[in-house]
Structures are given as C-alpha cells and as structure tokens.
Amino acid sequence: MGKIIALANQKGGVGKTTTSMNLAASLATLEKKVLLIDADPQANASSGLGVDLSKIDNSIYECLVGQAGIKEAIYTTDIERLDIVPSHIDLVGAEVEMLNLPNREHIFKNLLSPLKTEYDYILIDCSPSLGLITVNALTAADSVVIPVQCEYFALEGISKLLNTIKIIKKKLNPELEIEGFLLTMYDSRLRLANQIYDEVKRHFQELVFKTVIQRNVKLSEAPSHGLPAILYDADSTGAKNHLALAKEIINKTVNG
C-alpha cells in the first residue's frame, strides 16, 4: 500500500513547492513509483516538472469539482516512475464550488484512496493557506511534511498549522501523523540559521528531519528549465539534499 504525504505550511515562500517537486523526483530516482498532486493554484510544481499547462485537458480542479476522474488527470513526466496531477489557476475558485458538495472534506480522500495500490508514494503540494483544499489534503494524507524556512519568523504560524492538524486528527483523520519538520533555505554561515535550527530541534526533537535543505543556486534555477534539481545538476547541493531526504522518508516507511 502506498503512502500519502501532504507538504503543508500556510506561510508562503518556505520552499514547499521546491521540496515537493524535488522530493518526488528523488523518490522516483530511488525506484519508487510516485504521484505528485499539485494542489496549489499557482501550479509551480506542474510547470517546474515540465508540464505545458496550455496543453492539458484535466487538472486537479476538474477532479475536485467532479468534472473528471482522477485517472483522466494523471500525466507522465520526463522522470521514469514519476507521474503528476497538474494544477490550474481555476483551483482558486474550487473551494467555493466544493462548499455545497456532500462530504466536502473527504473529496481528496475518495479520489486518492484507490490509487494507493498503484503508487509507493503520493505527494500533495498544498497551497499556502489553511482553506478547504488544504483541509482535504490533510484528511486524505497518512502524514504531513512541514517545511520551515530558516529565518526569523520561522516558528510564527506553525502553532496555527499544528492546531489545524490537531483538529483534523480529532474530527476527520485520526490516522494523520507528522512525518517531520524540514528545515529549508539553510545557510550554515548565518548565525541566525543555526539558532533557528537549534530552536526547531529543541521544540520538536525527533520530529525534525536529519536532512536540511541548504540554500542553493542550482535549486532555484532548475524549475525555470522545467526540471527538478536531480536532472538539472545531479551533483548540486540541492539535488543531494533532496535525495538524502527521500532516503530518510523511505527508511522511516520501512521501519515504521
């Protein structure tokens, strides 16, 4: 059975989409069958993996509002074993349309459950909000990865997210676990980055991934070429960091 992992943080600019794309690509490189769901209306994960959004017929939007089946929205990528359900700007309005649907918090879960036998990992790149689509993603997920940027306000807002996770666990998805806190945009030369790292580690201890994602030019450049870092420059720090993260997640899955 596959594992569904949501990547969520309502704070924008924490490296969530970068992590989603590159973690998905790294898991596929390690011979896992992976499906990436782009649930962010900005659709950056889709274009970052080379999807031409003008040429797709169905996106996650059509699936959520009941206009298409999930299998009609799965597209292959240039990476073997990595498929994607792209996003679309229309997703902005999906929450309003979903409000009147029965069982509205479980739409994602109903879409993705049948796919768990076909993929080892299903990753959901959530939008930077705690709206209905993110609630749906967390209700469908087995676990959540929380990217935390190494900067001054890093811990601000996390309590809000943790509170949302707690409510979802209580009311909608008792199985939901925190996969881990992932420190992103880490620059070891900055004293502040090290202080943030220590603080997050002190707060969340075992829940913090050993892998940190360092600031890396190649990681920023790769999406403009429609490639994950591992295809753009496999020797780059960014590619190596995400590969290490993928291994950490696989180990965790295997060892429970």
Side-chain angles (χ1 to χ4, degrees), residues 36-51:
L36 176 61
I37 311 276
D38 188 351
D40 185 341
Q42 294 175 66
N44 291 340
S46 306
S47 54
L49 285 174
V51 177

Side-chain angles (χ1 to χ4, degrees), residues 1-2 22 41 61 66 86 110 118 131 141 172 184-185 232 243 251 253:
M1 276 297 264
N22 287 290
Y61 166 76
N110 297 335
E118 295 180 32
L172 297 166
T184 61
M185 305 182 193
Y232 181 61
L243 208 51
N251 281 341
T253 309

Side-chain angles (χ1 to χ4, degrees), residues 18-32 34 36 49 77 79-82 123 227-231 242-243 246:
T18 302
T19 301
S20 302
M21 294 168 35
N22 287 290
L23 174 57
S26 298
L27 286 165
T29 305
L30 294 168
E31 302 192 347
K32 299 293 175 192
V34 184
L36 176 61
L49 285 174
T77 67
I79 296 175
E80 207 183 335
R81 292 180 291 273
L82 174 57
L123 304 184
L227 294 170
I230 205 156
L231 283 191
H242 285 95
L243 208 51

Side-chain angles (χ1 to χ4, degrees), residues 36 53 74-75 77-78 80 111 146 171 189 196 223 232:
L36 176 61
L53 295 171
I74 295 176
Y75 295 83
T77 67
D78 290 342
E80 207 183 335
L111 285 173
I146 302 170
K171 300 191 170 168
R189 296 166 304 180
I196 300 291
Y232 181 61

Side-chain angles (χ1 to χ4, degrees), residues 16-17 37-44 60 87-88 91 125-128:
K16 185 176 45 55
T17 297
I37 311 276
D38 188 351
D40 185 341
Q42 294 175 66
N44 291 340
I60 192 64
S87 185
H88 193 276
L91 196 60
D125 180 27
C126 298
S127 67

